Amino acid sequence: MESQPSIPLLSFIFIIFVVVFSNSYINTSNALSIKEATVEELQTAFEQNQLTLRQLTEFYLNEIQRVNPILKGVIEVNPDALYLAEKVDRERKAKTHGSYSRLHGIPILLKDNIGTKDKLNNSAGSFALVGSVVAKDAGVVKRLREAGAIVIGKASLSEWTSFRSFNAPNGWSARGGQGKWIGNIRGLRYGGNITWETDGSILCPSSFNSIVGIKPTVGLTSRAGVIPISPRQDTIGPICRTVSHAVNVLDAIVGFDYNDAKATRRASN
């Protein structure tokens, strides 16, 4: 059973996208506020050439750099994030697709027990797994990339999701350090967070902070490529600011995966 002490850390990782800052407006005739814009409004800004994905990604990275030394909510950022954003900008400029998904170009944080085949570590907060190489993206990551989302980094967590020790401090990991408790967070502003729950890691932070979390039926989303606790309870779902965005993220990651065939086949029937 996943220990409840990890909940405070999962609650505050979203603050990196919520903080109020003075330079948060896109210079357009409609004065679109980045910090208040929904994903739908951001997609409209992309389509109308009011905002580029590089600008948005730089915005996120700057906020992480500014607040993370205090909050310790992001365990590492993707060194290729800007390259990936520029790639999406080129795709849009060349109009290589007739239409785009709602997640196309939207930055996403992943909990640091969800494997990615890139330059990010997959460590569950532990130095023991730093430098380990996974064979391929986790099932949900593969689907996110196919939808055009950008993996901007890994969110911190209680080391080994509190199974390193039942007496470890709340929100502590060797890699991420001791996270701070942030009490009143209004929610993730733009992208989203993909997290894994055995017992509370989606529902509790969402409830505490009045944001939208969806805990899928076990097997509705693939657990392949994720550091597990319980095959009977582990599930992966989104935490986002709005219901519509959470639904869009969930739509992107659900489905059968032969690497988690027993669970995903049963749930898809």
Side-chain angles (χ1 to χ4, degrees):
M1 180 174 176
E2 188 178 359
S3 175
Q4 290 296 324
S6 63
I7 298 306
L9 179 61
L10 288 169
S11 295
F12 74 72
I13 60 175
F14 310 110
I15 194 66
I16 61 170
F17 297 107
V18 183
V19 291
V20 178
F21 30 81
S22 58
N23 297 320
S24 60
Y25 288 85
I26 304 169
N27 186 20
T28 71
S29 59
N30 294 325
L32 177 66
S33 169
I34 295 179
K35 72 182 181 66
E36 292 295 337
T38 64
V39 169
E40 289 79 9
E41 290 170 336
L42 289 175
Q43 291 291 358
T44 298
F46 299 149
E47 293 167 4
Q48 296 178 353
N49 296 318
Q50 297 175 337
L51 178 69
T52 67
L53 263 299
R54 181 184 173 91
Q55 290 172 331
L56 184 64
T57 304
E58 284 181 331
F59 180 83
Y60 290 151
L61 293 173
N62 288 338
E63 287 306 302
I64 292 171
Q65 184 178 30
R66 187 171 72 88
V67 303
N68 203 55
I70 298 172
L71 301 179
K72 302 185 186 299
V74 176
I75 208 163
E76 66 178 304
V77 297
N78 189 345
D80 290 332
L82 291 177
Y83 164 77
L84 295 171
E86 290 172 349
K87 181 180 177 181
V88 173
D89 282 332
R90 289 194 297 270
E91 288 177 357
R92 286 181 174 271
K93 186 175 182 179
K95 300 186 185 302
T96 56
H97 296 278
S99 61
Y100 301 98
S101 80
R102 287 292 188 186
L103 299 187
H104 192 259
I106 298 299
I108 298 284
L109 274 175
L110 303 174
K111 193 173 180 180
D112 186 40
N113 60 348
I114 300 175
T116 54
K117 181 65 173 176
D118 53 20
K119 295 177 183 177
L120 290 165
N121 285 288
N122 308 283
S123 71
S126 172
F127 280 122
L129 292 182
V130 171
S132 62
V133 178
V134 298
K136 54 190 171 184
D137 283 336
V140 293
V141 177
K142 179 176 182 292
R143 289 179 175 272
L144 285 170
R145 294 196 201 276
E146 289 173 349
I150 295 173
V151 177
I152 196 172
K154 293 292 187 74
S156 191
L157 72 168
S158 295
E159 186 168 333
W160 298 108
T161 56
S162 294
F163 270 69
R164 179 183 186 274
S165 168
F166 290 113
N167 298 316
N170 295 354
W172 179 88
S173 72
R175 289 193 65 211
Q178 179 61 61
K180 309 293 185 183
W181 167 252
I182 303 297
N184 183 22
I185 302 171
R186 293 179 180 267
L188 184 62
R189 287 294 182 183
Y190 317 111
N193 178 271
I194 300 297
T195 193
W196 154 96
E197 171 169 320
T198 302
D199 180 25
S201 295
I202 296 173
L203 298 182
C204 291
S206 302
S207 175
F208 293 164
N209 295 291
S210 297
I211 51 181
V212 181
I214 301 177
K215 178 183 178 180
T217 301
V218 172
L220 190 64
T221 55
S222 170
R223 290 87 51 84
V226 179
I227 298 170
I229 286 182
S230 168
R232 293 182 58 196
Q233 294 177 246
D234 293 350
T235 188
I236 298 175
I239 300 178
C240 302
R241 183 165 70 104
T242 67
V243 172
S244 62
H245 185 41
V247 170
N248 288 333
V249 175
L250 183 62
D251 281 345
I253 63 176
V254 299
F256 174 76
D257 183 352
Y258 67 87
N259 290 307
D260 189 14
K262 183 177 180 180
T264 54
R265 181 181 292 113
R266 184 170 60 245
S268 63
N269 290 334

